[in-house]
Amino acid sequence: MLVAIAPFYDLDFCRQAEAKDLKMGTWDISVLHDSLGRLGTDSWNAGYKKYLDKWTC
């Protein structure tokens, strides 16, 4: 099972899939992501640290 770290769920999910030799691809869709984001907030920084801790050799 793939469990991702928020807010880096997309990067984490893809790296987990790649580590399991799963094929990935894209699909042409139109999406509007209506969010100001959380860049630089405490929760973003905590998620970034978890992501780096998990994927940094």
Side-chain angles (χ1 to χ4, degrees), residues 1-47:
M1 177 165 68
L2 303 177
V3 179
I5 299 169
F8 296 89
Y9 63 90
D10 50 350
L11 298 173
D12 187 42
F13 183 83
C14 290
R15 290 187 79 167
Q16 289 182 65
E18 184 178 59
K20 294 178 183 286
D21 292 325
L22 298 174
K23 286 187 177 183
M24 292 180 282
T26 60
W27 196 266
D28 188 18
I29 61 172
S30 178
V31 175
L32 174 61
H33 185 211
D34 188 18
S35 170
L36 297 175
R38 295 188 174 115
L39 179 65
T41 63
D42 290 342
S43 63
W44 188 93
N45 289 327

Side-chain angles (χ1 to χ4, degrees), residues 39-55:
L39 179 65
T41 63
D42 290 342
S43 63
W44 188 93
N45 289 327
Y48 183 58
K49 183 178 180 338
K50 285 183 184 178
Y51 176 80
L52 290 179
D53 289 346
K54 181 175 182 178
W55 292 107

